[in-house]
Amino acid sequence: MEENTPLISNDAVVLGLLMTTLAFVFATSASKRPFWVKFYTYVPTVLLCYFIPAVFNSLGLISGESSGLYKVASRYLLPASLVLFTISIDLKGILRLGPKALTMFLAGTVGIMFGGPLALLTVGFLYPEIYAGTGPDEIWRGLSTIAGSWIGGGANQTAMLEVFGASPTLFGQMIAVDVLVANLWMAFLLYWAAKPEKIDKLLKADSSGIYELRDRIAKYREGIMKIPNLGDTMLILGFGFGVTGFAHLCADFLAPWFETNYPQLNQYSLNSAFFWIVVIATTAGLLLSFTKARELEGAGASRMGSVLLYILVATIGMQMDLGAVLDNPVFFLIGILWMFFHVTIMIVVAWVIKAPFFYVAVGSQANVGGAASAPIVASAFDPSLASVGVLIAVLGYALGTYGGYLCGLMMQAVSGM
């Protein structure tokens, strides 16, 4: 057990290290020195904010597993950032983006549902011994928890664990596959989000609607931009964390109420406090966008939201163990192939309907990463688009249990062949 103890276990010190890392990344990305200009031409800032903490975790300097920072960031900072991003949203503009966003999200869901059985069949052909497990150790039972996670989220993953009954050991191994493969894919998306035009050209996609929305938001910001004073900043934080507190208050009542009175609705994650926190924070932010609160964007509401979101990015990065792939390479091979099939189906659908890469990236991350990371990928294209990511991701909670269950049954059939 001692070898797993991180060098830095005090969360205050870990937070200081993460904030220093973020400061270093953004300071160097703004530098005019030729080396940094060239470096950031190829390496997106958000990828470094994510990858450097992953290196710290993999080297044993810090531990994402034992730290409480991710829970704080996802429960307190994420909802506040969603409020601050959605305050200035152009809801009519988002609705005008049309059905392509929803189509790509559903293509991602289908890709995960069929990608799992295809990956298991392919690897099982090469390594038939993976089917040797019996009872709770049958591989398909563990893989079904990944399906629940990648279509919906943690609540859906737990639902699949309860439904199919994977052993604790197998479940632990599947969590490692889930986290590493999903995070590697997210790193890929963050890299290409900085230059989507190349992929849009390959897909022959028309991304004008997205750019029109982005430009409209930018023009609105320019019209209300001002140098914020202390009162403005406190007002921004008051709205962000005030609504977050209200979301927690409602979630503390709603989640157990649905659990007690309507347990049959657990499959929609209505018994999950996190689900309600995200939904209420986003809804409140959207409602505030129809009020004078929208003018807080001029004082930097979305910039403050970006600060909170990047802290979340760093805490997600510190969950990733780059060395975990060595523990069960065959399991990771299944995970990588699974993601490959998911991506292939999405790319084919995007090419057919000429959907821009933004929809591919956000539709995929809304499935695989859920509401915690879909806005990160969306904001990597442009901070004003973060709310599009969360609006799509919320759909995953409703589909996660159904999709995960059907995927689990298909993988059970593959294992029995």
Side-chain angles (χ1 to χ4, degrees):
M1 289 295 291
E2 243 178 77
E3 63 182 13
N4 294 326
T5 304
L7 191 64
I8 302 171
S9 56
N10 184 327
D11 271 348
V13 183
V14 176
L15 178 61
L17 178 64
L18 295 181
M19 293 304 294
T20 305
T21 302
L22 293 175
F24 170 78
V25 170
F26 280 94
T28 52
S29 69
S31 171
K32 301 296 182 200
R33 292 185 178 180
F35 171 79
W36 292 117
V37 170
K38 194 167 185 179
F39 179 80
Y40 284 103
T41 302
Y42 300 102
V43 182
T45 51
V46 67
L47 184 60
L48 280 184
C49 297
Y50 173 83
F51 196 72
I52 294 174
V55 173
F56 291 157
N57 182 56
S58 302
L59 294 175
L61 186 63
I62 60 178
S63 170
E65 194 179 340
S66 61
S67 170
L69 290 178
Y70 171 71
K71 190 166 185 183
V72 171
S74 62
R75 297 306 187 272
Y76 306 150
L77 305 189
L78 172 65
S81 73
L82 293 177
V83 174
L84 298 180
F85 279 128
T86 49
I87 269 180
S88 63
I89 194 153
D90 180 1
L91 191 58
K92 288 180 182 175
I94 286 181
L95 295 174
R96 277 202 296 270
L97 291 175
K100 287 185 180 179
L102 182 60
T103 302
M104 290 314 304
F105 169 77
L106 294 173
T109 303
V110 170
I112 289 164
M113 283 176 61
F114 288 96
L118 285 170
L120 182 58
L121 190 65
T122 306
V123 176
F125 179 76
L126 299 171
Y127 301 98
E129 62 270 19
I130 64 170
Y131 298 130
T134 56
D137 287 315
E138 289 178 285
I139 188 169
W140 67 268
R141 296 181 192 275
L143 292 172
S144 70
T145 65
I146 296 180
S149 173
W150 282 1
I151 298 172
N156 308 92
Q157 183 177 42
T158 305
M160 292 303 97
L161 178 63
E162 294 298 322
V163 169
F164 291 117
S167 70
T169 303
L170 182 62
F171 182 53
Q173 293 167 332
M174 292 303 163
I175 286 177
V177 175
D178 174 3
V179 171
L180 188 68
V181 175
N183 285 348
L184 286 173
W185 172 235
M186 184 175 167
F188 176 88
L189 291 176
L190 292 174
Y191 178 80
W192 282 103
K195 37 191 166 186
E197 297 83 6
K198 292 184 180 179
I199 298 181
D200 284 341
K201 195 174 178 182
L202 289 173
L203 295 173
K204 298 177 181 174
D206 177 20
S207 53
S208 58
I210 295 166
Y211 295 128
E212 280 170 21
L213 175 64
R214 182 195 64 188
D215 294 341
R216 209 162 39 244
I217 293 171
K219 192 174 179 183
Y220 172 73
R221 279 181 185 159
E222 283 172 19
I224 57 171
M225 198 64 73
K226 65 173 183 174
I227 297 171
N229 56 36
L230 181 61
D232 294 325
T233 304
M234 294 304 263
L235 200 57
I236 288 168
L237 291 173
F239 271 108
F241 288 102
V243 172
T244 298
F246 175 71
H248 275 266
L249 182 69
C250 295
D252 287 345
F253 166 75
L254 290 168
W257 187 81
F258 275 98
E259 175 77 60
T260 305
N261 296 290
Y262 298 99
Q264 67 272 25
L265 296 178
N266 289 0
Q267 58 191 333
Y268 299 111
S269 298
L270 296 187
N271 64 327
S272 164
F274 184 66
F275 168 81
W276 286 110
I277 291 166
V278 167
V279 169
I280 293 166
T282 306
T283 306
L286 287 171
L287 292 173
L288 286 169
S289 73
F290 293 100
T291 71
K292 273 199 159 188
R294 192 178 185 207
E295 293 176 9
L296 285 172
E297 177 55 31
S302 64
R303 185 173 67 246
M304 190 68 73
S306 294
V307 171
L308 303 178
L309 199 61
Y310 274 106
I311 297 171
L312 175 66
V313 171
T315 62
I316 290 176
M318 68 182 277
Q319 306 291 310
M320 187 174 172
D321 181 5
L322 300 172
V325 70
L326 303 173
D327 295 342
N328 288 287
V330 176
F331 287 178
F332 283 97
L333 180 60
I334 294 172
I336 290 165
L337 268 179
W338 192 342
M339 191 61 73
F340 170 78
F341 288 126
H342 159 71
V343 174
T344 301
I345 288 171
M346 289 201 78
I347 292 292
V348 169
V349 173
W351 184 77
V352 170
I353 68 172
K354 293 183 167 53
F357 178 60
F358 174 76
Y359 291 147
V360 177
V362 175
S364 173
Q365 201 59 33
N367 277 286
V368 176
S373 54
I376 293 170
V377 169
S379 68
F381 286 83
D382 191 87
S384 62
L385 300 173
S387 47
V388 181
V390 76
L391 288 173
I392 297 171
V394 168
L395 296 173
Y397 288 118
L399 296 177
T401 302
Y402 288 124
Y405 181 70
L406 292 172
C407 183
L409 294 181
M410 286 189 279
M411 290 188 289
Q412 182 183 19
V414 167
S415 297
M417 285 169 62

